Amino acid sequence: MTAVGLDDVGRLRRFGYTPELQRSLSFGDLLVYGLIYMVAIAPFGIFGSVFQASAGMVALAYVVGMVAMMVTASAYGVMTRAYPTAGSVYAYAGRAIAPSAGFLAGWTVLLDYILVPGLLSLVAAASMTAVGPGVPLWVWVAVFVVVNVVFNLRGIKTTRLVNKVFLIGQLAVLAVYLVAGLLALASGAGRGFSWEPFYTSGQFQIGVVAAAVSVGMLSFLGFDALSTLAEDAKGGARQVGRAQIAALGLTGVLFIAQTFVAGLLVEDPGKLIADGDPAGTAFYDTARVAAGPWLATLTALATALSWGLANNMVAQVATSRLLYAMARDRQLPAFLAKVSTRRSVPTNGILLTAAVSLALGLCMAARDDGISLMASLVNFGAILSFIVVNLSVLARNLRPGQEKVAGWFRSWVLPLAGIAILVVVIVNANVLAQRLGFVWLGGGLLILAVMAASGRRPRLAGLTDTIAEDDPANTVDRAATRAAHRA
């Protein structure tokens, strides 16, 4: 039972939705999902970029990033309990602020969710060409997309099983790297032990750290996607909120540990800061310093499989759930709301996600800056959506008659702190990403204006976004409401 006296299924029905997704995910399943989505070895693939942006203080960038994400995770937990639906930030903003705000929030986070699977396929393909250079990049992109579609169409249980296998493999590779790296440092390899990855005298600036966080944020993306599984979880909203915090804490510690060791194994930090890491091999170079070519190959292969299969698989799941949530509210084409009765998955959403991922992956594979451009756009969309979630918590608090689902600290202090941190990060983000991100947002505003002009203003199920809260006795005639909504 939730704080408002109803279980999540009951509240879902009172929001005007019919439960269609199978509640089969336990806390452990959700935790594994979050760990897989964030990828325990995520810094392997972007280490050089974060190292350059942070002027060598790469571990500090991940500490600040973890704090920012923990604060935002608290906001997600509050909103998931208040609105236990599959729509994530789209549903939260739509019900806490206004349906039009929900549409814009959903449109903004789509920039993140739609690009992520294509980005993951592209990064994985690039890693595979480094391991086996004989196969063209576009072939690997296609392979990763198709394999993930096959797994996801088989249902959430198959995805859950594959996730666990990949997580074990990731943790094993990371353990080997950390042990080898620490032993190498102890024997005098690299620059030896120091605190420079956390703080380098003469280099520390708030803007530098914020810029690095805006790049490293890609590693943390995924905890928010757990909120899209609010209708798949056995324990409902409470379990999702707990899993988000636990997944962030565990991965944050792993990120800090591996980047600390890698930061000390960089043999020429000045060169890496000046020239960057266009080939994306900086982390694998530190593995070579630690134990030789075999560890460099192992870490590159682990990155390819983790990003291209494990992470990509759950990214498709999250994107298809967001498309499903917006489609059933008639804010996207209705065919995206179709759920397979046999597998209990939004089939058309999965197929559309795969098609877009394939198209984007193939297009960006032809660009020299494809990976960096897509990564910047993904991060920008994600940061904007995180700001909206925190704003939604504050907006809900200001509305009269709302049931209390969290204490004053989580309802007021943490959301304000989260907004402040994220605004600093986004101001210092990549300029091109800022421009393209606001162009995308402008497109959403244009669509919203066209909808309003044609008399089709966004509405969530139940006609208004406050029925479930303002009508605790459920006295509203649901049939009449649905009829009005269809009209």
Side-chain angles (χ1 to χ4, degrees):
M1 302 293 285
T2 67
V4 294
L6 287 173
D7 62 19
D8 286 342
V9 174
R11 302 199 72 209
L12 191 65
R13 291 185 183 278
R14 287 174 56 183
F15 278 117
Y17 299 125
T18 299
E20 296 180 285
L21 303 178
Q22 184 179 357
R23 291 184 178 272
S24 61
L25 301 182
S26 65
F27 172 82
D29 295 328
L30 292 170
L31 180 59
V32 170
Y33 180 95
L35 293 175
I36 286 291
Y37 203 144
M38 284 186 280
V39 185
I41 57 174
F44 284 19
I46 59 172
F47 171 77
S49 299
V50 182
F51 190 95
Q52 180 188 37
S54 65
M57 295 174 287
V58 59
L60 175 62
Y62 278 99
V63 170
V64 176
M66 183 176 71
V67 171
M69 292 301 93
M70 281 287 195
V71 171
T72 301
S74 173
Y76 270 97
V78 172
M79 299 310 289
T80 302
R81 290 183 61 188
Y83 311 113
T85 75
S88 188
V89 61
Y90 151 73
Y92 307 153
R95 296 189 180 277
I97 303 175
S100 57
F103 172 82
L104 283 177
W107 178 260
T108 300
V109 79
L110 273 176
L111 179 64
D112 171 11
Y113 280 28
I114 288 179
L115 289 177
V116 162
L119 172 62
L120 297 174
S121 297
L122 187 58
V123 171
S127 298
M128 287 303 295
T129 56
V131 175
V135 182
L137 186 66
W138 69 267
V139 173
W140 284 117
V141 170
V143 167
F144 285 124
V145 171
V146 172
V147 170
N148 280 294
V149 170
V150 172
F151 278 123
N152 281 329
L153 287 178
R154 292 182 61 85
I156 197 74
K157 290 184 179 179
T158 300
T159 304
R160 177 177 62 195
L161 176 61
V162 175
N163 282 348
K164 291 180 179 179
V165 173
F166 273 105
L167 179 59
I168 293 171
Q170 288 178 23
L171 294 177
V173 171
L174 178 57
V176 170
Y177 175 82
L178 290 176
V179 171
L182 290 172
L183 290 176
L185 289 171
S187 64
R191 292 177 288 149
F193 288 103
S194 75
W195 293 108
E196 289 186 0
F198 286 103
Y199 177 79
T200 302
S201 179
Q203 296 286 354
F204 179 83
Q205 295 179 28
I206 297 296
V208 169
V209 176
V213 172
S214 72
V215 177
M217 193 76 75
L218 183 64
S219 302
F220 289 101
L221 301 186
F223 84 89
D224 55 306
L226 282 172
S227 62
T228 67
L229 297 178
E231 296 179 42
D232 294 272
K234 290 180 182 178
R238 287 180 180 272
Q239 288 288 60
V240 170
R242 291 168 183 161
Q244 285 179 317
I245 295 295
L248 268 174
L250 286 173
T251 53
V253 170
L254 294 177
F255 291 167
I256 294 166
Q258 62 196 269
T259 54
F260 173 71
V261 172
L264 295 175
L265 287 171
V266 173
E267 294 185 300
D268 190 350
K271 185 176 186 302
L272 181 56
I273 293 172
D275 299 339
D277 182 30
T281 61
F283 193 94
Y284 314 136
D285 292 339
T286 69
R288 186 175 289 105
V289 171
W294 70 269
L295 186 55
T297 301
L298 178 63
T299 51
L301 182 60
T303 301
L305 295 179
S306 297
W307 285 59
L309 292 180
N311 195 4
N312 207 338
M313 192 180 306
V314 293
Q316 280 189 2
V317 170
T319 305
S320 66
R321 263 54 175 187
L322 178 60
L323 294 173
Y324 161 77
M326 294 185 73
R328 70 180 176 183
D329 282 328
R330 299 177 62 215
Q331 297 190 27
L332 288 177
F335 80 94
L336 293 173
K338 178 178 174 58
V339 174
S340 168
T341 55
R342 182 181 178 189
R343 301 293 184 181
S344 188
V345 295
T347 306
N348 291 339
I350 292 174
L351 292 175
L352 178 61
T353 301
V356 173
S357 300
L358 182 60
L360 286 173
L362 295 178
C363 289
M364 291 297 174
R367 294 177 58 104
D368 292 335
D369 64 343
I371 292 178
S372 61
L373 178 58
M374 287 185 71
S376 297
L377 285 170
V378 166
N379 287 346
F380 187 85
I383 295 170
L384 276 182
S385 69
F386 295 159
I387 292 174
V388 171
V389 172
N390 283 289
L391 284 173
S392 297
V393 175
L394 298 176
R396 185 178 184 276
N397 294 337
L398 294 173
R399 299 183 68 163
Q402 302 300 296
E403 297 282 353
K404 183 178 180 180
V405 294
W408 66 271
F409 187 74
R410 292 186 66 189
S411 297
W412 293 101
V413 178
L414 289 183
L416 288 170
I419 292 171
I421 295 172
L422 292 168
V423 166
V424 172
V425 171
I426 207 167
V427 166
N428 289 277
N430 179 280
V431 174
L432 179 59
Q434 289 177 342
R435 291 174 180 172
L436 293 177
F438 282 120
V439 167
W440 175 268
L441 183 59
L445 287 169
L446 179 61
I447 293 174
L448 192 60
V450 171
M451 292 173 66
S454 62
R456 293 186 61 252
R457 293 183 179 180
R459 290 180 178 177
L460 303 184
L463 187 60
T464 72
D465 55 322
T466 57
I467 283 179
E469 300 289 347
D470 298 338
D471 184 30
N474 200 24
T475 57
V476 175
D477 184 338
R478 308 306 302 176
T481 299
R482 285 193 294 270
H485 179 53
R486 285 194 297 270

